[in-house]
Amino acid sequence: MKKLDMMYEGKAKKVYRTDDPERLIVEYKDDATAFNGEKRGTISGKGVVNNRMSNHFMRLLEEAGIPTHYVQELSDRETLVKAVSIFPLEVIVRNIAAGSFSKRYGVKEGTVFKKPTLEFCYKNDALGDPLINESHIYAMELAVPSELALIREYAYKINSFLKATLQQCGITLVDFKLEFGKTADGTVVLADEISPDTCRFWDAKTGEKLDKDRFRQDLGNVEGAYQEMARRLFG
Ligand code: TMP
Ligand code: ASP
């Protein structure tokens, strides 16, 4: 597999073409942004942790029957993935109130939900990724009902699986954001990443935040949190 020209540079990753049109290489950066790019910084070693962690979860999810874009880890920052067209949706699952949920609804951070919640945001930086509902998704033709049904089913299954897996490492899965894509043959697959950039992880005993909220909220020891998550998962 030959790495060709860069196709796209995002906030936390670069995407390269390969000599196979159905395969891309993602490269994880240490760059971090928050509040739609308003806050910028570097989290040293983040790219390595996110690449490894995301690939670990995607491999486990594949085994559990969830199709993903993951193909092969190429290096400590690079992974071969299936080329997909991304649904312009952020799919957010929450087990505990935090972040925008707490802010929007005035619900105290840490309030545990009886059942997980699921919400969609329209992936559009210019608009600040606004909340969107199912009928809006159909009106804008961002996905069709059969695709959205699969996305919903996968999102809840991923939540159950990740929650249980993380619990064994002493981590509480508070919430997370997923992105899905469609391969050339129309298969809906989990794409993007699952990492401390895209999830809220709290230490199950102390409640210590072990994710990007340390960067967003200037809590200090940001690098340490990413390394601690790697230690919990990989020893
Ligand atoms: P929120 O509470 O800010 O809406 O975030 C919900 C989850 O989504 C949280 O785990 C962090 C993740 N997230 C992203 O992955 N990217 C984003 O741009 C934002 C705002 C949140
Ligand atoms: N990735 C987001 C941004 O800068 C921020 C976040 O994750 O909170 O747009």
PDB file of all heavy atoms in Angstrom, residues 119-138:
ATOM      1  N   GLU A 119     -28.278  11.649  20.592  1.00  0.00           N
ATOM      2  CA  GLU A 119     -28.620  12.876  19.865  1.00  0.00           C
ATOM      3  C   GLU A 119     -27.759  12.997  18.629  1.00  0.00           C
ATOM      4  O   GLU A 119     -26.684  12.393  18.534  1.00  0.00           O
ATOM      5  CB  GLU A 119     -28.463  14.103  20.782  1.00  0.00           C
ATOM      6  CG  GLU A 119     -27.043  14.502  21.028  1.00  0.00           C
ATOM      7  CD  GLU A 119     -26.838  15.254  22.348  1.00  0.00           C
ATOM      8  OE1 GLU A 119     -27.440  14.894  23.381  1.00  0.00           O
ATOM      9  OE2 GLU A 119     -26.033  16.191  22.340  1.00  0.00           O
ATOM     10  N   PHE A 120     -28.248  13.781  17.683  1.00  0.00           N
ATOM     11  CA  PHE A 120     -27.516  14.034  16.448  1.00  0.00           C
ATOM     12  C   PHE A 120     -27.187  15.514  16.347  1.00  0.00           C
ATOM     13  O   PHE A 120     -28.016  16.365  16.686  1.00  0.00           O
ATOM     14  CB  PHE A 120     -28.365  13.653  15.231  1.00  0.00           C
ATOM     15  CG  PHE A 120     -28.776  12.217  15.200  1.00  0.00           C
ATOM     16  CD1 PHE A 120     -30.080  11.847  15.525  1.00  0.00           C
ATOM     17  CD2 PHE A 120     -27.870  11.221  14.856  1.00  0.00           C
ATOM     18  CE1 PHE A 120     -30.473  10.517  15.493  1.00  0.00           C
ATOM     19  CE2 PHE A 120     -28.257   9.884  14.818  1.00  0.00           C
ATOM     20  CZ  PHE A 120     -29.551   9.534  15.143  1.00  0.00           C
ATOM     21  N   CYS A 121     -25.967  15.807  15.880  1.00  0.00           N
ATOM     22  CA  CYS A 121     -25.625  17.168  15.496  1.00  0.00           C
ATOM     23  C   CYS A 121     -25.278  17.162  14.017  1.00  0.00           C
ATOM     24  O   CYS A 121     -24.773  16.168  13.491  1.00  0.00           O
ATOM     25  CB  CYS A 121     -24.432  17.688  16.299  1.00  0.00           C
ATOM     26  SG  CYS A 121     -24.811  17.960  18.035  1.00  0.00           S
ATOM     27  N   TYR A 122     -25.584  18.272  13.358  1.00  0.00           N
ATOM     28  CA  TYR A 122     -25.248  18.444  11.941  1.00  0.00           C
ATOM     29  C   TYR A 122     -23.795  18.878  11.875  1.00  0.00           C
ATOM     30  O   TYR A 122     -23.431  19.916  12.413  1.00  0.00           O
ATOM     31  CB  TYR A 122     -26.185  19.486  11.336  1.00  0.00           C
ATOM     32  CG  TYR A 122     -25.901  19.863   9.912  1.00  0.00           C
ATOM     33  CD1 TYR A 122     -25.451  18.917   8.979  1.00  0.00           C
ATOM     34  CD2 TYR A 122     -26.093  21.172   9.467  1.00  0.00           C
ATOM     35  CE1 TYR A 122     -25.204  19.268   7.667  1.00  0.00           C
ATOM     36  CE2 TYR A 122     -25.860  21.533   8.154  1.00  0.00           C
ATOM     37  CZ  TYR A 122     -25.408  20.577   7.255  1.00  0.00           C
ATOM     38  OH  TYR A 122     -25.163  20.940   5.961  1.00  0.00           O
ATOM     39  N   LYS A 123     -22.945  18.045  11.253  1.00  0.00           N
ATOM     40  CA  LYS A 123     -21.510  18.312  11.169  1.00  0.00           C
ATOM     41  C   LYS A 123     -21.275  19.444  10.175  1.00  0.00           C
ATOM     42  O   LYS A 123     -21.262  19.223   8.957  1.00  0.00           O
ATOM     43  CB  LYS A 123     -20.815  17.036  10.674  1.00  0.00           C
ATOM     44  CG  LYS A 123     -19.550  16.667  11.404  1.00  0.00           C
ATOM     45  CD  LYS A 123     -19.038  15.326  10.933  1.00  0.00           C
ATOM     46  CE  LYS A 123     -17.745  15.433  10.155  1.00  0.00           C
ATOM     47  NZ  LYS A 123     -16.606  15.844  10.970  1.00  0.00           N
ATOM     48  N   ASN A 124     -21.138  20.649  10.703  1.00  0.00           N
ATOM     49  CA  ASN A 124     -20.929  21.812   9.851  1.00  0.00           C
ATOM     50  C   ASN A 124     -20.261  22.897  10.698  1.00  0.00           C
ATOM     51  O   ASN A 124     -20.914  23.569  11.502  1.00  0.00           O
ATOM     52  CB  ASN A 124     -22.299  22.281   9.308  1.00  0.00           C
ATOM     53  CG  ASN A 124     -22.154  23.461   8.379  1.00  0.00           C
ATOM     54  OD1 ASN A 124     -21.453  24.422   8.661  1.00  0.00           O
ATOM     55  ND2 ASN A 124     -22.845  23.395   7.250  1.00  0.00           N
ATOM     56  N   ASP A 125     -18.950  23.029  10.520  1.00  0.00           N
ATOM     57  CA  ASP A 125     -18.159  23.962  11.335  1.00  0.00           C
ATOM     58  C   ASP A 125     -18.671  25.394  11.237  1.00  0.00           C
ATOM     59  O   ASP A 125     -18.716  26.111  12.246  1.00  0.00           O
ATOM     60  CB  ASP A 125     -16.681  23.920  10.912  1.00  0.00           C
ATOM     61  CG  ASP A 125     -15.948  22.724  11.509  1.00  0.00           C
ATOM     62  OD1 ASP A 125     -16.461  22.152  12.504  1.00  0.00           O
ATOM     63  OD2 ASP A 125     -14.878  22.358  10.992  1.00  0.00           O
ATOM     64  N   ALA A 126     -19.072  25.807  10.020  1.00  0.00           N
ATOM     65  CA  ALA A 126     -19.524  27.188   9.816  1.00  0.00           C
ATOM     66  C   ALA A 126     -20.757  27.483  10.681  1.00  0.00           C
ATOM     67  O   ALA A 126     -20.967  28.617  11.111  1.00  0.00           O
ATOM     68  CB  ALA A 126     -19.832  27.423   8.345  1.00  0.00           C
ATOM     69  N   LEU A 127     -21.563  26.465  10.940  1.00  0.00           N
ATOM     70  CA  LEU A 127     -22.779  26.633  11.747  1.00  0.00           C
ATOM     71  C   LEU A 127     -22.559  26.235  13.204  1.00  0.00           C
ATOM     72  O   LEU A 127     -23.476  26.323  14.022  1.00  0.00           O
ATOM     73  CB  LEU A 127     -23.926  25.793  11.152  1.00  0.00           C
ATOM     74  CG  LEU A 127     -24.358  26.117   9.716  1.00  0.00           C
ATOM     75  CD1 LEU A 127     -25.403  25.130   9.239  1.00  0.00           C
ATOM     76  CD2 LEU A 127     -24.905  27.539   9.635  1.00  0.00           C
ATOM     77  N   GLY A 128     -21.362  25.739  13.528  1.00  0.00           N
ATOM     78  CA  GLY A 128     -21.061  25.319  14.897  1.00  0.00           C
ATOM     79  C   GLY A 128     -21.713  23.995  15.267  1.00  0.00           C
ATOM     80  O   GLY A 128     -22.091  23.787  16.431  1.00  0.00           O
ATOM     81  N   ASP A 129     -21.841  23.077  14.308  1.00  0.00           N
ATOM     82  CA  ASP A 129     -22.383  21.721  14.557  1.00  0.00           C
ATOM     83  C   ASP A 129     -23.682  21.748  15.358  1.00  0.00           C
ATOM     84  O   ASP A 129     -23.753  21.201  16.467  1.00  0.00           O
ATOM     85  CB  ASP A 129     -21.353  20.836  15.310  1.00  0.00           C
ATOM     86  CG  ASP A 129     -20.040  20.681  14.547  1.00  0.00           C
ATOM     87  OD1 ASP A 129     -20.037  20.811  13.317  1.00  0.00           O
ATOM     88  OD2 ASP A 129     -19.011  20.430  15.207  1.00  0.00           O
ATOM     89  N   PRO A 130     -24.746  22.370  14.827  1.00  0.00           N
ATOM     90  CA  PRO A 130     -25.990  22.479  15.620  1.00  0.00           C
ATOM     91  C   PRO A 130     -26.704  21.138  15.812  1.00  0.00           C
ATOM     92  O   PRO A 130     -26.600  20.237  14.974  1.00  0.00           O
ATOM     93  CB  PRO A 130     -26.855  23.412  14.770  1.00  0.00           C
ATOM     94  CG  PRO A 130     -26.358  23.228  13.377  1.00  0.00           C
ATOM     95  CD  PRO A 130     -24.882  22.967  13.492  1.00  0.00           C
ATOM     96  N   LEU A 131     -27.430  21.055  16.913  1.00  0.00           N
ATOM     97  CA  LEU A 131     -28.298  19.906  17.192  1.00  0.00           C
ATOM     98  C   LEU A 131     -29.305  19.775  16.041  1.00  0.00           C
ATOM     99  O   LEU A 131     -29.790  20.779  15.517  1.00  0.00           O
ATOM    100  CB  LEU A 131     -29.029  20.206  18.502  1.00  0.00           C
ATOM    101  CG  LEU A 131     -29.614  19.071  19.330  1.00  0.00           C
ATOM    102  CD1 LEU A 131     -28.550  18.060  19.728  1.00  0.00           C
ATOM    103  CD2 LEU A 131     -30.258  19.648  20.588  1.00  0.00           C
ATOM    104  N   ILE A 132     -29.614  18.544  15.664  1.00  0.00           N
ATOM    105  CA  ILE A 132     -30.538  18.318  14.544  1.00  0.00           C
ATOM    106  C   ILE A 132     -31.431  17.131  14.903  1.00  0.00           C
ATOM    107  O   ILE A 132     -30.985  16.229  15.615  1.00  0.00           O
ATOM    108  CB  ILE A 132     -29.729  18.081  13.243  1.00  0.00           C
ATOM    109  CG1 ILE A 132     -30.623  18.054  12.002  1.00  0.00           C
ATOM    110  CG2 ILE A 132     -28.884  16.828  13.303  1.00  0.00           C
ATOM    111  CD1 ILE A 132     -29.820  18.026  10.695  1.00  0.00           C
ATOM    112  N   ASN A 133     -32.693  17.129  14.436  1.00  0.00           N
ATOM    113  CA  ASN A 133     -33.527  15.966  14.744  1.00  0.00           C
ATOM    114  C   ASN A 133     -33.730  15.089  13.515  1.00  0.00           C
ATOM    115  O   ASN A 133     -33.273  15.409  12.413  1.00  0.00           O
ATOM    116  CB  ASN A 133     -34.840  16.385  15.411  1.00  0.00           C
ATOM    117  CG  ASN A 133     -35.828  17.025  14.449  1.00  0.00           C
ATOM    118  OD1 ASN A 133     -35.774  16.821  13.233  1.00  0.00           O
ATOM    119  ND2 ASN A 133     -36.740  17.800  14.993  1.00  0.00           N
ATOM    120  N   GLU A 134     -34.419  13.969  13.719  1.00  0.00           N
ATOM    121  CA  GLU A 134     -34.544  12.962  12.668  1.00  0.00           C
ATOM    122  C   GLU A 134     -35.235  13.525  11.423  1.00  0.00           C
ATOM    123  O   GLU A 134     -34.765  13.319  10.294  1.00  0.00           O
ATOM    124  CB  GLU A 134     -35.328  11.764  13.233  1.00  0.00           C
ATOM    125  CG  GLU A 134     -35.282  10.568  12.349  1.00  0.00           C
ATOM    126  CD  GLU A 134     -35.894   9.317  13.018  1.00  0.00           C
ATOM    127  OE1 GLU A 134     -35.968   9.266  14.258  1.00  0.00           O
ATOM    128  OE2 GLU A 134     -36.285   8.415  12.266  1.00  0.00           O
ATOM    129  N   SER A 135     -36.325  14.258  11.620  1.00  0.00           N
ATOM    130  CA  SER A 135     -37.050  14.774  10.448  1.00  0.00           C
ATOM    131  C   SER A 135     -36.205  15.784   9.686  1.00  0.00           C
ATOM    132  O   SER A 135     -36.276  15.878   8.461  1.00  0.00           O
ATOM    133  CB  SER A 135     -38.406  15.350  10.856  1.00  0.00           C
ATOM    134  OG  SER A 135     -38.233  16.505  11.632  1.00  0.00           O
ATOM    135  N   HIS A 136     -35.378  16.537  10.400  1.00  0.00           N
ATOM    136  CA  HIS A 136     -34.471  17.473   9.724  1.00  0.00           C
ATOM    137  C   HIS A 136     -33.438  16.716   8.892  1.00  0.00           C
ATOM    138  O   HIS A 136     -33.068  17.151   7.807  1.00  0.00           O
ATOM    139  CB  HIS A 136     -33.734  18.337  10.755  1.00  0.00           C
ATOM    140  CG  HIS A 136     -34.618  19.199  11.585  1.00  0.00           C
ATOM    141  ND1 HIS A 136     -34.199  19.786  12.752  1.00  0.00           N
ATOM    142  CD2 HIS A 136     -35.914  19.566  11.438  1.00  0.00           C
ATOM    143  CE1 HIS A 136     -35.186  20.480  13.277  1.00  0.00           C
ATOM    144  NE2 HIS A 136     -36.243  20.359  12.496  1.00  0.00           N
ATOM    145  N   ILE A 137     -32.979  15.599   9.427  1.00  0.00           N
ATOM    146  CA  ILE A 137     -31.986  14.781   8.707  1.00  0.00           C
ATOM    147  C   ILE A 137     -32.569  14.301   7.379  1.00  0.00           C
ATOM    148  O   ILE A 137     -31.911  14.354   6.337  1.00  0.00           O
ATOM    149  CB  ILE A 137     -31.522  13.592   9.579  1.00  0.00           C
ATOM    150  CG1 ILE A 137     -30.696  14.112  10.768  1.00  0.00           C
ATOM    151  CG2 ILE A 137     -30.727  12.571   8.764  1.00  0.00           C
ATOM    152  CD1 ILE A 137     -30.341  13.074  11.812  1.00  0.00           C
ATOM    153  N   TYR A 138     -33.855  13.906   7.409  1.00  0.00           N
ATOM    154  CA  TYR A 138     -34.495  13.444   6.164  1.00  0.00           C
ATOM    155  C   TYR A 138     -34.755  14.622   5.239  1.00  0.00           C
ATOM    156  O   TYR A 138     -34.570  14.522   4.030  1.00  0.00           O
ATOM    157  CB  TYR A 138     -35.802  12.697   6.463  1.00  0.00           C
ATOM    158  CG  TYR A 138     -35.603  11.484   7.343  1.00  0.00           C
ATOM    159  CD1 TYR A 138     -36.547  11.106   8.287  1.00  0.00           C
ATOM    160  CD2 TYR A 138     -34.439  10.715   7.227  1.00  0.00           C
ATOM    161  CE1 TYR A 138     -36.351   9.995   9.097  1.00  0.00           C
ATOM    162  CE2 TYR A 138     -34.234   9.613   8.038  1.00  0.00           C
ATOM    163  CZ  TYR A 138     -35.191   9.262   8.976  1.00  0.00           C
ATOM    164  OH  TYR A 138     -34.987   8.180   9.768  1.00  0.00           O
TER     165      TYR A 138
END
